[in-house]
Amino acid sequence: MSDVLPDRQPELRVMPMPSDLNPAGDVFGGWVMAMVDIAGSLPARRRSRGRVATVAVNSFVFKQPIAVGDVVSLYAEVVSVGRTSITVDVEVFAERHPERPLVVKVTEARLTYVALDAQGNKRPIEGS
């Protein structure tokens, strides 16, 4: 049974290449984590109206492996805003087998970002 892509635009859409594979032939978990961090930072940057840095990976669940040729779509949503921090949920889906299209949820994560000023210090988020 396949999952369904969310009814909104992904923050990021990528296709892993052979150089992204581990010795078992699946995409490295670290590659997936990097893509999740990038995707999560985009709505955090928009909400904070500036620079952010990752301060915590609150949860990260690998549900299925990703393969070369999969189109990976990452969806990110702000779930809470504190005085200086923003928590974002990221869902990752793989679209595979274009001849028999199949969509599967491969990863989900929750990350926390902190808003930074030009000197790299924490700063308050407007409207929080």
Side-chain angles (χ1 to χ4, degrees):
M1 181 174 177
S2 73
D3 291 302
V4 177
L5 293 173
D7 189 22
R8 62 186 195 274
Q9 286 294 107
E11 287 294 337
L12 186 63
R13 182 173 258 177
V14 294
M15 182 181 287
M17 303 308 284
S19 61
D20 302 316
L21 299 181
N22 64 27
D26 299 319
V27 172
F28 276 110
W31 181 90
V32 178
M33 293 178 87
M35 296 302 109
V36 165
D37 192 22
I38 292 167
S41 73
L42 297 174
R45 284 173 47 103
R46 279 194 301 275
R47 177 60 183 85
S48 74
R49 298 178 189 232
R51 182 178 169 196
V52 297
T54 310
V55 294
V57 177
N58 308 82
S59 66
F60 210 105
V61 178
F62 293 99
K63 296 176 162 290
Q64 290 194 35
I66 297 173
V68 166
D70 286 352
V71 176
V72 180
S73 299
L74 297 96
Y75 296 83
E77 179 179 19
V78 171
V79 292
S80 69
V81 178
R83 194 179 77 74
T84 62
S85 66
I86 299 172
T87 301
V88 178
D89 281 350
V90 180
E91 294 180 295
V92 184
F93 293 85
E95 298 173 67
R96 42 183 63 145
H97 312 301
E99 66 284 353
R100 289 179 282 97
L102 176 67
V103 173
V104 293
K105 186 179 207 180
V106 293
T107 304
E108 57 190 23
R110 177 169 282 189
L111 299 93
T112 301
Y113 300 87
V114 66
L116 301 175
D117 64 19
Q119 290 73 44
N121 300 309
K122 287 183 185 179
R123 66 171 174 81
I125 298 167
E126 294 178 32
S128 62

